[in-house]
Amino acid sequence: MSFSIQFTHAITRRPAASITRGLRAVDTGNPDLALMQAHHDSYIATLRETGATVIELPPLDAYPDSVFVEDTALCLPQGAVVMRPGAPSRLGEAAEMAPHLHALYGEVVGITGAESFIEGGDILVTEREILVGRSARTNAAGIAELARLVAPWGHELREVHTPPGVLHFKTDCSLLDVDTILSTTRLSASGCFDGYRVIDVAEGEEAAANTIRFNDLVLMPAGFPRTRDAIAAAGYTVREIGNSECAKLDGGMSCLSLRFTPRK
Ligand code: CIR
C-alpha cells in the first residue's frame, strides 16, 4: 500500500477561543467554538477508529488559525519539512509544530528562505509524485526550496496552478487512493490530473472536494449527498464529519491534521 493513504499517526490541534479572529476570504459570520470543538472531536474519533495514534495538541490562542495544522508541515515517510506559511499571521505556527515533529521523526528540515512561502494545503502527495499548487500562500521560491529539500529522499515535485479565487490547491482536490483523485471540474479541467483516475465532485458541491483518505476511511464534510454517494458508489467507506464552522474560515478535512508514518 502507498504511503499516501496508510498512516500510523496524525497530529491535530484543538481550536482556540481566538478562532473568531481566523482568516477568511468572505465573512459569513464567526464560527461557534463549542460546535467546532464537537466537530473536531468526531474528526479525531474517526481517525482513531482506523487504529492510528492521534495526537491532540493544546489550543494556541496566539494563533487564531492554528487548528489548521496541515499548513505547518509536509510529512513524508523519510522525514518532515516545516513549512513557511504565506499568511503573516500564521508564520509562527510552523515553529510551534517543529518540536512535535522532532519527537516522532529522525529527520526534520525546514523552509527557511526569507522570500520562500509555502503552506501544506497546497501540497498533494500521491504515490508517484508531489503536486504543489502555486497560490496566494505558496510562491515559486517556496516550491523550489521544497524541491531541493525532498530530492535526497527520492521525491519529485510537479508545480500546478490553484484555480483563481481558491485558497489552496487541495481546497479543490484530494487523494482517494494511490491512483484516484477527487476533484472539482474547475481544477481537473486544467489537465493537472491527466494519467490519474478522477472522480468529479457534483456540480454545486465544490466544497466537498477537500476530503481525506485515512487508512480504510474517506472523511468528508457533511452536507454534500451527491458527492458522498459518488464516492461510496466507487467503493470507498465514507464518514461524514460536520464542517460548518471550519468552512466559515475556508477550512476542511485535510487542514485539520498532519497524517504520516514516520521512520525514526
Ligand atoms: C487560512 O486562511 O489560512 C485558514 N483560515 C484556513 C486554512 C485552511 N487550510 C487548508 O486548507 N490546508
Side-chain angles (χ1 to χ4, degrees):
M1 273 295 190
S2 157
F3 58 81
S4 50
I5 55 172
Q6 295 294 325
F7 307 99
T8 58
H9 286 73
I11 298 181
T12 62
R13 186 181 289 288
R14 292 170 70 86
S18 60
I19 191 76
T20 50
R21 300 198 305 273
L23 299 172
R24 63 205 81 179
V26 177
D27 197 351
T28 58
N30 275 334
D32 176 311
L33 180 62
L35 183 55
M36 184 184 276
Q37 184 62 62
H39 291 160
H40 200 254
D41 288 345
S42 88
Y43 179 87
I44 288 171
T46 307
L47 297 180
R48 285 190 176 137
E49 223 184 278
T50 72
T53 300
V54 181
I55 296 164
E56 268 185 273
L57 300 177
L60 273 181
D61 219 47
Y63 297 105
D65 284 294
S66 54
V67 67
F68 303 117
V69 287
E70 173 181 66
D71 296 316
T72 64
L74 173 65
C75 294
L76 296 168
Q78 300 84 356
V81 184
V82 180
M83 299 281 107
R84 222 174 112 70
S89 66
R90 303 199 58 194
L91 247 184
E93 287 177 37
E96 295 283 349
M97 184 55 71
H100 305 290
L101 298 169
H102 280 285
L104 290 160
Y105 270 106
E107 201 168 352
V108 179
V109 295
I111 305 286
T112 54
E115 297 307 319
S116 301
F117 295 104
I118 184 161
E119 297 190 355
D122 281 316
I123 306 172
L124 181 73
V125 180
T126 79
E127 192 175 52
R128 53 183 111 147
E129 60 185 344
I130 298 178
L131 289 93
V132 188
R134 212 190 278 205
S135 73
R137 303 288 182 83
T138 293
N139 65 11
I143 297 172
E145 197 171 333
L146 179 64
R148 282 195 299 276
L149 289 171
V150 301
W153 295 339
H155 294 285
E156 280 192 19
L157 255 62
R158 176 156 64 94
E159 185 179 329
V160 289
H161 282 281
T162 302
V166 171
L167 175 60
H168 286 127
F169 178 63
K170 269 191 309 195
T171 305
D172 267 32
C173 65
S174 34
L175 191 75
L176 291 180
D177 65 34
V178 294
D179 213 33
T180 308
I181 288 170
L182 177 73
S183 178
T184 62
T185 50
R186 67 186 168 202
L187 177 58
S188 61
S190 71
C192 64
F193 300 130
D194 288 356
Y196 289 91
R197 181 166 79 119
V198 175
I199 296 178
D200 287 323
V201 300
E203 205 184 322
E205 293 192 351
E206 283 70 19
N210 181 268
T211 70
I212 53 168
R213 172 71 191 271
F214 191 79
N215 298 325
D216 293 336
L217 301 178
V218 173
L219 281 70
M220 70 172 291
F224 303 98
R226 287 175 294 138
T227 302
R228 176 200 60 207
D229 292 350
I231 298 172
Y236 302 99
T237 305
V238 180
R239 291 279 194 282
E240 295 178 277
I241 311 284
N243 193 54
S244 56
E245 305 316 291
C246 286
K248 292 174 183 167
L249 301 175
D250 310 316
M253 294 295 107
S254 75
C255 333
L256 294 173
S257 58
L258 290 166
R259 304 161 295 279
F260 54 99
T261 302
R263 279 188 207 150
K264 254 290 186 191

